[in-house]
Amino acid sequence: MSQMSDQTKEAIDQINGLSRRSFLKAASGLAVAATVGTGLLGAAHAFASTPEGINVMSASEYHVMNRLMQVQLASEGTGLVPASEIPVMQTLDAALMATMAPHILEGLKGGIAYFNDGPKTFYGKPFVELSDKQAAAFCDTWANSDEVPQRALAMGLKKLIGLAYWANPPTWEPLGYGGPVTEKWNLVSLGNAPLPKS
């Protein structure tokens, strides 16, 4: 297995530095528009095996991230909205990947391929071919690895999936979250205004 490139490390550092608030800001509008079009989730492009709304991820990248979503966002038996009913991949594609600088995007794409190849050492097959139990065990192994690149990548990709899921307003209701109070109360954003001096 090849080592991660500097671009991949830079991409993962940026992902791990993302906050829920900054992702939601980037995703606002996109997630809502995608939610309206959830009927398109099952439709595939005539020329590729990715659903509508996936414009940045390749088919292989989509399959890795979709498989990770299936393993990491298991909502069966909970009150959470099933990830299959939310445009998680479309949100990830449009709200994050489409906005990345080209060299950062290239690094992330390299990281996704590196992650997919990771299980070959243990299971003799890529991540997308693992059973649910194997895939969950692999994610846990890398998330707890002594190897910093493996740990950072596993946590970074998992964070992307989580952020893309929770950016969609339908996921908020089961938690009793009514959305950002800044919008509800019509507050004007002051950005990163300095604190008042005493």
Side-chain angles (χ1 to χ4, degrees):
M1 189 173 8
S2 61
Q3 294 296 314
M4 281 201 305
S5 72
D6 289 341
Q7 287 176 324
T8 299
K9 289 176 186 170
E10 187 177 353
I12 297 305
D13 286 345
Q14 283 197 8
I15 290 164
N16 285 324
L18 275 176
S19 68
R20 181 178 176 277
R21 182 180 302 263
S22 63
F23 190 90
L24 282 174
K25 186 176 180 182
S28 66
L30 295 170
V32 174
T35 301
V36 171
T38 48
L40 300 174
L41 287 175
H45 291 297
F47 57 90
S49 58
T50 59
E52 291 290 332
I54 302 299
N55 300 309
V56 179
M57 282 186 272
S58 68
S60 61
E61 292 156 0
Y62 167 80
H63 290 297
V64 173
M65 296 304 287
N66 192 58
R67 184 70 182 114
L68 182 60
M69 179 190 73
Q70 293 166 353
V71 173
Q72 295 295 312
L73 288 179
S75 58
E76 189 175 332
T78 73
L80 299 177
V81 178
S84 60
E85 296 177 14
I86 301 294
V88 177
M89 293 295 104
Q90 289 82 352
T91 303
L92 174 62
D93 193 84
L96 180 74
M97 296 180 79
T99 64
M100 285 182 144
H103 73 287
I104 298 295
L105 179 61
E106 185 180 336
L108 176 59
K109 287 172 169 279
I112 293 170
Y114 178 76
F115 181 82
N116 190 44
D117 286 342
K120 290 180 179 178
T121 303
F122 307 105
Y123 299 104
K125 52 189 172 183
F127 180 75
V128 293
E129 294 179 12
L130 299 179
S131 68
D132 288 352
K133 185 176 179 179
Q134 290 171 331
F138 172 73
C139 289
D140 289 344
T141 298
W142 267 35
N144 296 304
S145 174
D146 290 335
E147 299 292 328
V148 174
Q150 291 177 357
R151 189 171 64 244
L153 184 59
M155 297 307 291
L157 296 181
K158 182 178 177 180
K159 183 173 188 174
L160 287 179
I161 296 295
L163 288 170
Y165 174 80
W166 294 111
N168 286 275
T171 64
W172 304 345
E173 188 176 336
L175 303 177
Y177 176 60
V181 294
T182 52
E183 292 177 16
K184 193 183 301 185
W185 297 342
N186 202 24
L187 298 175
V188 177
S189 173
L190 299 176
N192 293 323
L195 292 172
K197 294 182 180 179
S198 48

